[in-house]
Each structure stands twice: as structure tokens, then as C-alpha cells.
């Protein structure tokens, strides 16, 4: 290990005195480590929330409802207020200059702008 | 940069008797650890782990927190990005959590054969049982901690500010965090989780939005816009407009022929991006015009990034509606003491905007007062530390015996009382 790396103590030491079980004992080398952790969706499914009364607060039912206000439409490129909508690319635009720019954009950029507001077409 | 990591190894671990609790604020952005009763956490670092390969020896090492990028040139970081133990705001990757706790305890100066102090650790609101029990298992089994308590960080922050007179016994805590934003009503000093709401939008989404917008606007600079640099830009330049429409009008007046992507745009703020090849001075300026307030607007309108949930101001209304009893006097008391805490509430202009937003949804004439916490970032740790130093704290903890004898159902019902 290079001296400056050792001096800066960049790397976590492998043996720590205050641990009862060290990392190398718990996760031996060569075994796949990452795959056995449940993601949030699986954790929530495993909780069996339907067995408990629905008005008790739990992780799922404290989530906020969809917004009641009408959604704010802003131009995807400039950020100004956008009353108009391009049917071909599905982007919102504010005025004619921006519209010229939109029609000149390659498809990759169009999809990325749409992906910003989660409106891109995802082919699975 | 306002967030600074403190990772100096502490040398006074041995001077603390074994009743002194260790207080950990386990946040999705930063991990803070220190002793109960003190005013500031001893060790602060970013809650991420990287496992690169050392180029010379070939072994895979673990690096916790963010470090000087110059030192990382000895490591092959191509296959290992920074990984977090969190999914939304719930800890799910306990191997990474273990690395982080290792590092935290090590820098606190721990020695001896186990951690002999009770631990108070923060968790998210209504933490799933699986996450809570795995965390207790980790602390009891691997570190030998004698007793553990879990609390919500926003609640600790609220109690701390209540003690300092910033907010009253009944009030609302609005906590925009890193991945999520919570609104929690407090009645008689205790959080009422029935009225709590959570939206899955936070500082991470704001930074990500800004990063995508800048990469689309300046495609040849795309490789330079690392997440950390964009976060710095966000903290320096972003603000929240009193109303979005008014500030866009400001930009339209200044330059009626608004053309993005060209450097000839009227600049409100310019900032230098480091050079990598010889080009003219103009090429290296990036102009942050409307993005300054477009990005934090996401907190109030998550529809801008496609998340179909209520924004922060609307959440306050939802939260009050969800309370079990309908009491006008109580609602007035709640709205007259609204506390903003959490890292993402530091934008200039947030207080006024939030007040205007809440005034729109509450009946005319209700008293509304929005205040920012004394220190939105550190207050959660400070509140937890003050709590752990109290004499009645040991009654709120549970020991290893409790955990093994009583099992998962008891862990599910474990409730923390904030009034001592």
C-alpha cells in the first residue's frame, strides 16, 4: 500500500478489535454477498400489513396522496411557462423559437428530456 | 461547502463510563456519531461505501465516506461506484451498514473487545420491522452493545427546538431530507404518526434534476458534472422563488430572445468549470439561469419529475386532515408553530413560499408561523444527544434479552416516548 494512502487511513482495516464477528468471517471470500438482501418492495411485502388494522400508521399508509393542484406545465427545455405541447415528440414548449429547437433535436435528447419528467417511452 | 466531513480519530473513548450512551444519527446523506450530552457529534461522514480494487496488489478494499479524489488514483474505481445502505429512507443493505458502523466506531476511538455503551440510533418514520430487527441484530450480535433505542430524527429535532423555545408543544415538523420529505404533527409534545405524511422527494432528486438539466444543456461538459460538483452548485446558487411564474417573468424580460444552449444568453450567475482541453474562455462558463429556482421547485411540485405525490405545502394540509380528532383550536395551534428541519430546507426563500402555500389551503385568517430550526442539519443529532443524556433514557431502551425473548412482534410494537 502506498505510504500516503496508509497515512491518510483511507482504507477500512480488516480486523477491528471491538467486533465479536469480523467481516471476513461473516462474508467469506468467493461467496456472492450482495444477492441475499431484500429490497424495500420485498421488505414491505414480507411485513404482511393486511393482517393489521388499516388505521394504524405503517410505512405504506403514511405515504402522501397525489397532488390536488393542477400540474404545473413548464417548458422542458427552457423552464418557462409552457402552454403548448408538441404531438410528435410529446415535449412541452414555451414559444416558437423553442419549438424550432425541439424539432431540430436528435431523438436521444428528446427521450432524455422526457425522462426528466418520467414521460419517456420505456421499451422493456 | 457547508457540509464538511469530520473523520479525525477520537482519543478519549476510554474516559467515558459504560453508562454513557453513544448517539448515532443514521441519515441517508450523512452519518453522525458522538457521545450523549455533548453539543456536537464527534465524527461526521457521508453515508456511502466504495469497494475498489487496489491497482498494485489487486485486493479489494473498502473505503467509507467521501475522500480526497487525488488519493483514489491508486485504486481502480471503474467497477465500484459509491453504494449506500438505504433504499428510499429504509436501511436494507446490512453489509454496507456494517462497514459504516465499523468506520464510525473506529473513528470514535473504540477499543476493547466489544462496544460497551448503550446506543441510540435514528431510523425513519414507521420503519418496517424487518429493517429494525436486522439493525438490532447487527448491533447486539456483532458489536455486543448492551442496549439499543430507536427514534425518529425529525422528532428529536423538534423536541430540541421546543426546548429552546423556537416552537411550541403542539406543532408541525416539516422535514425535507435527502430521499424523502416528512410532515409530522406533534400534539402535547409527542409525534402523532397517524397524521404523518411522506413524499418520496428530497435533496437527492433536486440535485439529480439539476445534473440532468446541465448535462442536456452542455453536452460536451457532461463527463465533468459529477454528482458532488452539482451538489456544490446547488448549495451555492439555488433558491426558491416566491412564485414560479413571477421569476420566470424576470428572466423573460431580461432576454426576450431566450435561446438555450448558446453562450450568448444573459447570465445571472456564471461559474467556472475546470478546463480539460484548450478552448476559448467562453466555452468554460456555464450559465445557471432559470435552473436556480426550477430545481428546488421540485420539492413543491413533484410532478415536475414525474412523481405523482403532493408537494411540501400540500402535505401540511393532508397531515392536518389525517389527524383523528377534528378540533379547530388544535389546528390553529398546529399551524402557528411550524418547524422546518432537515438538510433540504436551507434554500433561501423557503420559509416565505411555504407560508404562502399553507395560507392557500387553510381557512382564511388562521395564524400561520413558519420557522426554520436553529441548525437544520445538526439539530436531529443534538436533540438525540440531549435525550440520551437524560436520567430516564434507560427506560426507553431494550436489551439483548428483550430482543431474543420477546421476538419480532414486540419489536413491531416498540414505541419511543419523547416526553420524559
Amino acid at each position: 500500500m502506498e505510504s500516503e494512502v496508509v497515512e491518510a487511513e483511507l482504507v477500512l482495516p480488516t480486523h477491528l478489535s471491538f467486533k465479536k464477528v469480523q467481516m471476513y468471517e461473516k462474508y467469506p471470500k468467493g461467496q456472492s454477498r450482495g444477492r441475499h438482501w431484500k429490497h424495500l418492495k420485498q421488505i414491505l411485502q414480507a411485513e404482511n400489513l393486511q393482517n393489521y388494522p388499516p388505521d394504524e400508521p405503517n410505512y405504506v399508509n403514511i405515504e402522501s396522496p397525489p397532488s390536488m393542484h393542477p400540474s404545473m406545465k413548464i417548458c422542458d427545455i427552457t423552464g418557462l411557462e409552457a402552454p403548448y405541447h408538441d404531438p410528435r415528440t410529446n415535449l412541452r414548449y414555451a414559444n416558437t423559437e423553442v419549438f424550432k429547437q425541439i424539432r431540430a433535436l436528435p431523438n436521444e435528447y428528446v427521450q432524455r428530456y422526457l425522462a426528466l419528467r418520467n414521460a419517456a417511452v420505456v421499451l422493456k | 461547502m457547508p457540509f464538511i466531513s469530520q473523520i479525525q480519530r477520537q482519543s478519549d473513548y476510554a474516559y467515558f463510563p459504560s453508562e454513557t450512551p453513544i448517539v448515532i444519527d443514521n441519515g441517508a446523506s450523512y452519518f453522525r456519531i458522538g457521545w450523549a450530552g455533548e453539543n456536537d457529534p464527534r465524527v461526521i461522514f457521508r453515508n456511502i461505501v466504495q469497494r475498489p480494487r487496489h491497482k498494485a496488489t489487486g485486493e479489494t478494499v473498502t473505503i467509507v465516506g467521501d475522500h480526497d479524489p487525488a488519493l483514489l488514483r491508486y485504486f481502480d474505481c471503474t467497477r465500484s461506484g459509491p453504494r449506500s445502505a438505504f433504499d428510499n429512507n429504509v436501511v436494507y443493505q446490512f453489509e454496507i451498514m456494517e462497514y459504516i458502523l465499523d468506520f464510525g466506531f473506529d473513528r470514535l476511538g473504540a477499543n476493547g473487545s466489544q462496544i460497551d455503551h448503550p446506543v441510540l440510533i435514528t431510523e425513519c418514520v414507521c420503519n418496517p420491522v424487518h429493517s429494525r430487527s436486522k439493525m438490532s441484530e447487527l448491533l447486539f450480535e456483532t458489536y455486543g452493545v448492551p442496549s439499543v433505542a430507536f427514534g425518529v430524527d425529525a422528532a428529536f429535532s423538534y423536541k430540541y427546538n421546543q426546548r429552546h423555545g423556537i416552537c411550541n408543544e403542539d406543532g408541525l415538523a416539516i422535514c425535507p431530507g435527502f430521499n424523502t420529505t416528512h410532515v409530522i404533527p406533534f400534539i402535547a409534545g409527542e409525534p402523532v404518526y397517524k397524521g404523518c405524511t411522506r413524499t418520496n422527494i428530497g435533496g437527492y432528486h433536486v440535485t439529480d434534476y439539476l445534473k440532468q438539466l446541465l448535462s442536456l444543456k452542455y453536452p460536451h461538459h457532461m463527463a465533468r458534472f459529477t454528482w458532488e460538483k452539482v451538489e456544490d452548485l446547488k448549495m451555492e446558487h439555488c433558491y426558491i422563488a416566491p412564485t414560479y411564474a413571477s421569476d420566470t417573468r424576470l428572466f423573460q424580460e431580461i432576454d426576450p430572445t431566450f435561446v438555450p444552449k448558446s453562450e450568448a444568453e444573459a447570465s445571472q450567475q456564471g461559474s467556472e468549470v475546470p478546463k480539460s482541453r484548450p478552448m476559448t474562455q467562453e466555452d468554460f462558463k456555464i450559465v445557471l439561469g432559470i435552473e436556480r429556482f426550477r430545481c428546488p421547485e421540485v420539492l413543491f411540485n413533484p410532478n415536475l419529475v414525474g412523481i405523482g405525490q403532493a408537494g411540501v405545502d400540500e402535505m401540511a394540509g393532508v397531515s392536518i386532515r389525517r389527524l383523528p380528532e377534528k378540533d379547530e383550536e388544535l389546528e390553529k395551534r398546529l399551524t402557528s408553530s411550524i418547524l422546518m428541519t432537515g438538510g433540504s430546507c436551507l434554500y433561501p426563500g423557503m420559509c416565505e413560499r411555504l407560508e404562502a402555500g399553507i395560507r392557500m389551503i387553510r381557512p382564511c385568517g388562521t395564524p400561520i408561523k413558519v420557522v426554520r430550526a436553529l441548525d437544520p442539519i445538526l439539530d436531529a443529532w443534538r436533540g438525540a444527544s440531549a435525550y440520551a443524556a437524560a436520567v430516564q433514557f434507560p427506560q426507553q431502551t431494550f436489551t439483548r434479552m428483550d430482543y431474543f425473548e420477546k421476538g419480532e412482534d414486540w419489536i413491531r410494537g416498540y414505541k419511543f416516548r419523547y416526553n420524559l
Side-chain angles (χ1 to χ4, degrees):
Chain A
M1 213 51 77
E2 290 81 355
S3 62
E4 51 180 359
V5 170
V6 171
E7 258 178 48
E9 287 194 88
L10 199 66
V11 173
L12 194 70
T14 36
H15 179 94
L16 291 153
S17 63
F18 49 83
K19 288 183 77 171
K20 290 162 108 174
V21 182
Q22 300 295 327
M23 282 304 253
Y24 53 79
E25 291 160 2
K26 232 195 215 188
Y27 302 106
K29 235 180 175 182
Q31 264 188 18
S32 71
R33 314 152 86 125
R35 254 171 269 161
H36 50 281
W37 298 115
K38 289 187 177 172
H39 287 263
L40 184 64
K41 272 198 194 152
Q42 294 156 322
I43 294 180
L44 293 176
Q45 271 175 356
E47 246 193 278
N48 281 332
L49 292 168
Q50 60 267 28
N51 296 347
Y52 298 91
D55 37 304
E56 238 179 62
N58 53 50
Y59 192 81
V60 175
N61 62 13
I62 59 174
E63 209 153 316
S64 18
S67 171
M68 287 290 153
H69 299 302
S71 67
M72 191 162 79
K73 294 189 167 50
I74 58 170
C75 172
D76 285 309
I77 312 225
T78 57
L80 306 168
E81 195 205 328
Y84 315 112
H85 169 254
D86 175 15
R88 203 194 291 176
T89 52
N90 211 16
L91 291 172
R92 296 180 182 144
Y93 61 94
N95 51 40
T96 47
E97 280 94 26
V98 184
F99 183 64
K100 286 188 197 126
Q101 301 240 339
I102 287 185
R103 280 293 162 91
L105 276 182
N107 188 37
E108 187 207 341
Y109 284 86
V110 168
Q111 293 304 315
R112 282 175 66 188
Y113 273 115
L114 288 176
L116 276 189
R117 56 182 169 93
N118 223 4
V121 174
V122 179
L123 299 169
K124 283 228 176 112
Chain B
M1 188 167 79
F3 296 161
I4 310 169
S5 302
Q6 265 170 244
I7 48 175
Q8 191 80 0
R9 184 170 283 120
Q10 309 293 314
S11 49
D12 52 356
Y13 184 84
Y15 297 135
F16 287 94
S18 11
E19 297 86 38
T20 321
I22 295 182
V23 175
I24 299 181
D25 178 9
N26 190 17
S29 54
Y30 280 78
F31 182 90
R32 300 174 192 101
I33 185 172
W35 297 101
E38 294 192 354
N39 204 32
D40 278 311
R42 294 292 185 96
V43 180
I44 305 178
F45 53 92
R46 273 217 79 128
N47 213 333
I48 47 176
V49 165
Q50 271 175 306
R51 306 203 75 232
R53 248 174 22 102
H54 190 227
K55 280 187 191 157
T57 58
E59 56 169 319
T60 312
V61 296
T62 317
I63 299 183
V64 175
D66 53 344
H67 287 273
D68 188 6
L71 285 177
L72 287 174
R73 66 175 191 272
Y74 296 116
F75 298 93
D76 169 26
C77 298
T78 48
R79 273 161 146 235
S80 73
R83 300 173 61 198
S84 162
F86 287 84
D87 184 353
N88 214 20
N89 58 354
V90 174
V91 182
Y92 81 108
Q93 269 261 16
F94 286 92
E95 185 191 337
I96 297 185
M97 196 68 232
E98 198 175 332
Y99 285 128
I100 291 174
L101 284 171
D102 278 350
F103 187 77
F105 284 133
D106 180 44
R107 290 301 155 111
L108 196 64
N111 43 33
S113 61
Q114 54 181 22
I115 307 279
D116 248 334
H117 301 258
V119 167
L120 169 62
I121 190 166
T122 55
E123 57 172 14
C124 63
V125 179
C126 296
N127 199 15
V129 166
H130 175 264
S131 174
R132 197 184 265 178
S133 74
K134 276 258 172 339
M135 180 71 96
S136 329
E137 186 185 316
L138 184 67
L139 287 171
F140 287 136
E141 295 288 297
T142 314
Y143 295 100
V145 174
S147 59
V148 165
F150 289 100
V152 171
D153 45 0
F156 284 132
S157 183
Y158 191 86
K159 297 301 288 181
Y160 182 75
N161 282 285
Q162 186 189 323
R163 217 166 296 150
H164 285 250
I166 310 280
C167 49
N168 308 329
E169 222 183 29
D170 298 330
L172 279 179
I174 298 188
C175 181
F178 187 64
N179 270 324
T180 51
T181 303
H182 289 271
V183 173
I184 308 176
F186 281 79
I187 298 181
E190 291 286 328
V192 178
Y193 292 126
K194 275 204 177 146
C196 175
T197 44
R198 176 189 80 239
T199 298
N200 299 326
I201 198 109
Y204 170 78
H205 300 99
V206 175
T207 311
D208 202 56
Y209 194 46
L210 182 62
K211 178 165 176 267
Q212 309 279 14
L213 282 176
L214 287 177
S215 329
L216 281 166
K217 203 166 156 187
Y218 300 99
H220 41 278
H221 282 150
M222 205 155 31
R224 287 266 161 206
F225 288 129
T226 64
W227 202 85
E228 284 78 24
K229 276 211 192 90
V230 175
E231 199 179 32
D232 286 346
L233 284 175
K234 171 187 93 163
M235 289 201 268
E236 239 185 304
H237 299 295
C238 283
Y239 68 97
I240 291 192
T243 44
Y244 193 79
S246 63
D247 278 36
T248 52
R249 229 166 288 138
L250 204 74
F251 277 83
Q252 271 178 317
E253 275 161 17
I254 289 174
D255 187 7
T257 61
F258 184 89
V259 179
K261 284 207 182 78
S262 93
E263 277 81 335
E265 181 185 354
S267 71
Q268 292 297 303
Q269 279 273 6
S271 71
E272 290 276 336
V273 169
K275 307 183 201 342
S276 60
R277 53 215 159 125
M279 289 193 84
T280 64
Q281 183 76 4
E282 276 261 302
D283 252 322
F284 293 99
K285 281 216 186 110
I286 61 168
V287 180
L288 289 178
I290 217 171
E291 292 86 12
R292 284 180 74 196
F293 57 90
R294 181 178 172 184
C295 297
E297 188 68 27
V298 167
L299 291 174
F300 289 88
N301 271 308
N303 288 309
L304 291 178
V305 276
I307 294 178
Q309 290 184 300
V312 174
D313 44 2
E314 220 185 312
M315 273 163 75
V318 170
S319 190
I320 295 181
R321 265 205 318 267
R322 279 186 182 174
L323 285 175
E325 303 96 27
K326 294 280 169 270
D327 181 6
E328 273 221 26
E329 282 303 305
L330 177 67
E331 291 177 15
K332 282 201 183 136
R333 287 204 300 274
L334 287 178
T335 50
S336 53
S337 149
I338 300 180
L339 179 80
M340 288 202 307
T341 178
S344 290
C345 77
L346 289 169
Y347 296 107
M350 185 131 182
C351 273
E352 293 82 15
R353 176 69 185 268
L354 205 65
E355 194 176 319
I358 295 181
R359 202 175 289 284
M360 267 206 312
I361 49 182
R362 296 303 302 156
C364 181
T366 48
I368 299 180
K369 182 168 154 227
V370 177
V371 284
R372 192 176 276 161
L374 290 166
D375 184 345
I377 304 169
L378 288 179
D379 268 353
W381 192 89
R382 291 195 176 131
S385 161
Y387 188 91
V391 178
Q392 302 95 329
F393 170 66
Q395 294 161 8
Q396 299 293 320
T397 61
F398 60 96
T399 63
R400 201 169 158 196
M401 285 294 109
D402 288 335
Y403 172 66
F404 281 118
E405 285 167 10
K406 299 179 187 171
E408 222 182 65
D409 274 338
W410 182 81
I411 287 255
R412 185 190 293 272
Y414 168 77
K415 218 160 247 344
F416 198 74
R417 267 193 53 232
Y418 292 89
N419 276 331
L420 285 173

